[in-house]
Amino acid sequence: AVFMLTVGAEIDTGDPYIWVSIASVHARKGKLGRKKALEALRTALDKGLSNPAALDEESFAELRQDEEFQRIRAQVTQRKRG
């Protein structure tokens, strides 16, 4: 799944939601996928993610207490308010 999403990210380089999907796949791995999930979310943020609801997926449940995840969410929320 990650491979196909990564190919999609290379085709549509400006779409932050592809990176949210990549993060979601990594987050489902639990602690093993934490680092890559957060990296993908930072990329989504860099690509313009502005919808905090995208971070409400169940796959991010374990990350919600993570400080880095909370910082990313705060930046996305702030961007939405604009």
Side-chain angles (χ1 to χ4, degrees):
V2 172
F3 174 75
M4 294 303 292
L5 289 167
T6 303
V7 169
E10 289 178 16
I11 292 170
D12 189 357
T13 59
D15 184 358
Y17 297 97
I18 291 175
W19 290 99
V20 172
S21 295
I22 291 170
S24 177
V25 172
H26 286 299
R28 287 184 183 118
K29 297 176 186 175
K31 289 182 182 181
L32 295 174
R34 180 190 162 279
K35 182 178 177 182
K36 288 187 177 185
L38 291 170
E39 287 173 3
L41 288 175
R42 282 191 293 272
T43 300
L45 183 63
D46 291 344
K47 299 285 183 183
L49 182 63
S50 61
N51 182 2
L55 304 177
D56 291 341
E57 290 186 30
E58 184 61 32
S59 59
F60 296 131
E62 287 187 33
L63 289 178
R64 288 199 183 96
Q65 300 306 315
D66 185 281
E67 287 181 30
E68 179 66 13
F69 182 87
Q70 292 173 5
R71 276 193 294 273
I72 292 168
R73 184 177 191 82
Q75 289 177 296
V76 172
T77 301
Q78 182 177 9
R79 183 176 286 164
K80 180 176 181 159
R81 291 182 189 151

